[in-house]
Amino acid sequence: MAKNLTKYYDTSSSKTPEMGQLIDNMMTTDKSSRRNFERRWYDNNYFDDGHHFRYLSRLQNKIVDLSEKASLYSPMRAIPKASRQIRGVANLITSQDYMPVVYPEKVEKANFPGTPQIDPATGQQTMIYPEYDAALKESRTLAKRVGHWLAEEIKKQDLISKMALMTILAAKNYVSYLQITPDAEKEEIRTIVRDAFDVYLMGEVNEIEDSPHVIIAHPKVISEIKANEMFDKDQLEKINPDNRQASSEIKEAYMRGRYGREFNDDSSATLILKEAYLKEHLNPDNQKVISKQPDGGDILQGKKMGDMVYRQVFVAGNIWLSDKYVDLKGYPLVDFRFEPGPMYGVSLIERFIPTNKSLDMIVSRVERYAHTMTVGVWTKRQGEQFNLSNAAGGQIVEYKSVAPQQAQLAPLPAHVFNFIGLLNSFIEEQGVSTSTLGKIPTGVKAARAIESLKESEFANLVIPQRQFKKTTKKIAEKFLDYGDKYFVTTQTAYYMEKGEPTYFDIVGKTAMDKRAQLGVPVEGEVTPISGEYRVDIEVQAGLAYTKEGQKAAARELGDYIVQLAELGLVPPGVVSKVLESMLESYQFGPTAGVMEDMEEYQKQGQMTDPQMDKMKLAMAEVVRDAGLGEKDDEEDIRKTKVAVAEVAQDLQKGEQK
């Protein structure tokens, strides 16, 4: 069980004018405990940028770059093997689809009366529960719609790209964060990626919620700070820009070394804005303060003395701007790490750096040797004079008495190249390489072999994948919580089903209940977004990892379903869905149009149900035998339509006979 540190950092008795200095003291404590990690994050960032010989010297307290002394004849080459490796790992982790699944609310059967019914087959009396069945169906429908809203919100927030960035940042700095905040005015959810430098907490804890406080410090344009209506107007008059690019001195050095930004006008002046969240136990002191807030009733609802409440404080330049309590279940941050444990640890790229530097040095020596061979080594007797000159036909050597001789350099021994191969194998042991880096073994062309290689690499990333799934689940839970509390008016959501959009309205369950209490209920069929929903994450890898593997798996599945359909073991609808999935796997193109034409043809009454079933089976065989889908052009579409028409015509002739 995690140790409760809140009592050691109690701020419930601290007054608002004290909060500016208090937040700065907390940041100073966090800085001192993570300073050694910050230096490594700095080196890791520059190493990933390709500056393998640049580091922050602890003794000299300055940036040292050994490659500044390099020249053409004494090179220091950086081989970006580690950078490619961490991106290969990130590609594998984010290549799968992590879809949220919402569990329906529990429906108690005892709450619904039963109706007796006589079974005509046995003559015995049984109880049926039509109201319970209807309530259960409605609960499942609502949960399904909430799941679709979550999936669409993930797309709207572009979380695929943001979580890819989180993965790369975690590979360099061990941990990265996604800040999720609600916008009460616009009734929206905002997300932004934060790196390890921007978030201050106790690094020795295992989870964010175990830390008694979390402080997000980042530069913000001072004009934007002054335009924020939630900040105290009198306090805003006291702030002045500091024009820093980061709250951390080490990140500040990195940003200036990389971007070299200078502030020459007031419009670009910035100030470090500190957004602090403090955990407090509810007591008489803070209860009085909370009860005076407009939303104090919502914050205190369902809470008793000793329960946790969250205090939000904004500070800029040691000056408090806002101090209030917020209705949150937890910190508005979700972290991602490659492995469980303390918040700070050894990042993935750090495990590559020692071996990668050895590879850099040995390759640099080989290149130095190559330049020596190109220039050549000459021997001459002492006192002799000769002159070398280059002409269009070659090199001219002039001498007086004794001809100079060009020395023969010994070739590089085999152990040098064996050592390079050994270093590469050491680097590959820490990550993935076979298929991610394009190193498919010679002769491996079959889809099954490539799928086996992919499967083995995914097996090496079980822990990071579980961490990624955990992060996605936390994000979905916060989306539900914020949607419940901050979506006051109805909004329209949609999802795609069979190529057609399905629309439905949503609203926060808390707002829905309040409107019902005030006698102004929500009109129409509305889906409530509730933070009480239980969420799980399904990992959808598809039929296979590669496109060829997906096509092969689709063909095998199609053959199997056709055999089951011929035996009458599966309904026609299953055949239709499998056919649609197979066309999508082949990237046929107008899949939805073909399926609509088939359904429309059936509705016209020109074909009976048995004819339709046979035509679908024949259609599947036509696509399978023709091998369509490799090209998405008009010729393939025309051929498919002709094939469908011929099959339908043959079936009709057979029925007439």
Side-chain angles (χ1 to χ4, degrees), residues 199-212:
V199 179
Y200 294 82
L201 45 72
M202 298 186 65
E204 62 268 27
V205 299
N206 292 341
E207 298 291 340
I208 294 181
E209 292 300 324
D210 295 338
S211 179

Side-chain angles (χ1 to χ4, degrees), residues 258-466:
R258 185 175 183 183
Y259 300 106
R261 181 181 173 189
E262 295 293 339
F263 299 88
N264 298 320
D265 55 86
D266 295 337
S267 61
S268 61
T270 61
L271 178 63
I272 299 297
L273 181 65
K274 304 159 190 174
E275 182 179 355
Y277 293 88
L278 314 175
K279 293 172 70 173
E280 297 179 1
H281 292 285
L282 186 62
N283 56 43
D285 293 333
N286 52 28
Q287 185 183 32
K288 294 179 181 178
V289 178
I290 297 174
S291 59
K292 294 179 181 179
Q293 293 186 186
D295 58 347
D298 297 333
I299 299 175
L300 296 176
Q301 184 178 6
K303 288 186 172 60
K304 59 183 182 299
M305 290 297 175
D307 288 348
M308 202 69 66
V309 291
Y310 290 84
R311 187 175 183 176
Q312 183 191 53
V313 183
F314 284 90
V315 176
N318 200 21
I319 298 172
W320 70 270
L321 301 178
S322 174
D323 181 15
K324 65 178 182 177
Y325 290 85
V326 289
D327 187 11
L328 295 176
K329 289 184 178 179
Y331 293 126
L333 285 173
V334 177
D335 67 293
F336 173 70
R337 292 166 287 162
F338 277 81
E339 57 189 33
M343 296 300 297
Y344 299 147
V346 180
S347 64
L348 179 63
I349 198 172
E350 283 185 62
R351 306 182 189 279
F352 294 108
I353 289 178
T355 309
N356 216 127
K357 286 189 174 181
S358 296
L359 181 63
D360 294 337
M361 297 307 299
I362 192 67
V363 171
S364 297
R365 290 179 180 273
V366 171
E367 185 176 352
R368 189 181 309 170
Y369 175 87
H371 286 309
T372 302
M373 281 294 295
T374 303
V375 177
V377 177
W378 294 82
T379 62
K380 72 181 187 68
R381 192 171 65 178
Q382 184 176 6
E384 292 290 341
Q385 295 181 357
F386 68 96
N387 182 34
L388 294 175
S389 60
N390 294 324
Q395 196 173 57
I396 300 175
V397 181
E398 297 180 355
Y399 61 94
K400 291 185 176 180
S401 58
V402 180
Q405 296 181 353
Q406 188 173 19
Q408 297 294 324
L409 295 181
L412 281 173
H415 75 267
V416 174
F417 301 100
N418 294 335
F419 183 53
I420 293 177
L422 182 64
L423 292 175
N424 282 325
S425 66
F426 287 159
I427 295 176
E428 292 166 4
E429 285 178 2
Q430 299 292 337
V432 292
S433 61
T434 304
S435 58
T436 305
L437 302 184
K439 297 180 60 176
I440 302 297
T442 305
V444 177
K445 301 297 183 182
R448 289 185 179 274
I450 299 176
E451 289 296 316
S452 298
L453 294 174
K454 282 282 187 182
E455 187 69 34
S456 65
E457 292 191 343
F458 271 101
N460 293 330
L461 298 175
V462 173
I463 295 177
Q465 282 182 313
R466 289 176 178 173

Side-chain angles (χ1 to χ4, degrees), residues 401-583:
S401 58
V402 180
Q405 296 181 353
Q406 188 173 19
Q408 297 294 324
L409 295 181
L412 281 173
H415 75 267
V416 174
F417 301 100
N418 294 335
F419 183 53
I420 293 177
L422 182 64
L423 292 175
N424 282 325
S425 66
F426 287 159
I427 295 176
E428 292 166 4
E429 285 178 2
Q430 299 292 337
V432 292
S433 61
T434 304
S435 58
T436 305
L437 302 184
K439 297 180 60 176
I440 302 297
T442 305
V444 177
K445 301 297 183 182
R448 289 185 179 274
I450 299 176
E451 289 296 316
S452 298
L453 294 174
K454 282 282 187 182
E455 187 69 34
S456 65
E457 292 191 343
F458 271 101
N460 293 330
L461 298 175
V462 173
I463 295 177
Q465 282 182 313
R466 289 176 178 173
Q467 291 289 105
F468 198 86
K469 182 178 178 181
K470 177 182 175 183
T471 299
T472 308
K473 181 178 180 180
K474 289 182 178 179
I475 293 173
E477 290 174 345
K478 290 194 180 295
F479 279 4
L480 288 176
D481 183 46
Y482 295 158
D484 184 356
K485 297 175 181 177
Y486 295 95
F487 286 10
V488 179
T489 58
T490 56
Q491 301 181 18
T492 301
Y494 72 95
Y495 64 93
M496 300 296 293
E497 188 173 23
K498 295 183 179 180
E500 292 292 333
T502 301
Y503 297 92
F504 59 95
D505 293 332
I506 61 169
V507 72
K509 189 174 185 301
T510 301
M512 190 176 183
D513 295 340
K514 287 184 178 180
R515 292 181 62 171
Q517 294 174 2
L518 297 174
V520 190
V522 179
E523 298 180 355
E525 184 180 356
V526 181
T527 301
I529 303 298
S530 174
E532 302 298 326
Y533 278 117
R534 182 172 175 265
V535 183
D536 199 3
I537 303 298
E538 285 187 355
V539 181
Q540 298 181 354
L543 294 173
Y545 301 112
T546 62
K547 186 58 64 177
E548 288 299 323
Q550 291 175 2
K551 293 178 182 179
R555 287 195 298 267
E556 293 178 1
L557 180 61
D559 292 339
Y560 183 65
I561 295 298
V562 166
Q563 295 173 8
L564 294 179
E566 290 175 348
L567 298 175
L569 299 178
V570 296
V574 175
V575 181
S576 177
K577 289 184 178 299
V578 172
L579 174 60
E580 184 177 0
S581 176
M582 182 162 52
L583 291 175

Side-chain angles (χ1 to χ4, degrees), residues 7-108:
K7 59 182 180 180
Y8 301 107
Y9 295 87
D10 186 25
T11 58
S12 59
S13 60
S14 301
K15 305 300 180 182
T16 297
E18 306 171 3
M19 298 309 296
Q21 186 60 45
L22 186 61
I23 297 302
D24 279 359
N25 294 341
M26 290 181 179
M27 287 184 60
T28 302
T29 302
D30 295 338
K31 285 180 182 180
S32 62
S33 63
R34 78 176 196 183
R35 187 170 299 275
N36 291 334
F37 291 99
E38 282 188 330
R39 292 179 180 272
R40 285 152 57 185
W41 299 341
Y42 175 92
D43 294 340
N44 296 346
N45 281 343
Y46 262 124
F47 193 87
D48 184 61
D49 293 340
H51 303 287
H52 290 194
F53 303 96
R54 180 179 296 185
Y55 65 95
L56 187 62
S57 175
R58 299 182 182 180
L59 298 177
Q60 303 177 21
N61 196 26
K62 67 176 184 178
I63 301 172
V64 178
D65 193 346
L66 301 177
S67 62
E68 293 179 351
K69 300 179 181 179
S71 63
L72 177 64
Y73 302 106
S74 181
M76 298 188 73
R77 298 295 177 216
I79 310 301
K81 190 90 172 180
S83 300
R84 184 66 184 91
Q85 280 283 358
I86 65 172
R87 281 160 178 78
V89 173
N91 284 333
L92 276 180
I93 294 176
T94 57
S95 64
Q96 296 178 319
D97 293 329
Y98 296 80
M99 302 302 298
V101 177
V102 178
Y103 287 79
E105 292 183 344
K106 185 178 180 180
V107 180
E108 294 290 348

Side-chain angles (χ1 to χ4, degrees), residues 231-246:
F231 296 156
D232 187 273
K233 300 301 181 183
D234 295 332
Q235 294 297 106
L236 287 174
E237 298 297 329
K238 303 176 184 179
I239 63 175
N240 293 299
D242 56 15
N243 291 332
R244 297 188 58 185
Q245 299 191 47

Side-chain angles (χ1 to χ4, degrees), residues 143-195:
K144 181 180 178 182
R145 289 179 177 177
V146 173
H148 286 304
W149 172 78
L150 272 177
E152 291 301 322
E153 189 67 23
I154 288 175
K155 295 179 182 178
K156 178 182 176 181
Q157 298 289 339
D158 194 19
L159 282 188
I160 296 177
S161 300
K162 292 179 180 178
M163 295 189 72
L165 175 58
M166 289 178 64
T167 308
I168 295 176
L169 289 175
K172 294 190 291 184
N173 305 330
Y174 187 79
V175 63
S176 60
Y177 306 91
L178 183 71
Q179 183 180 0
I180 309 173
T181 54
D183 189 334
E185 294 183 1
K186 297 182 179 180
E187 299 185 27
E188 295 178 347
I189 299 175
R190 296 181 178 180
T191 55
I192 185 172
V193 178
R194 302 292 185 190
D195 62 14

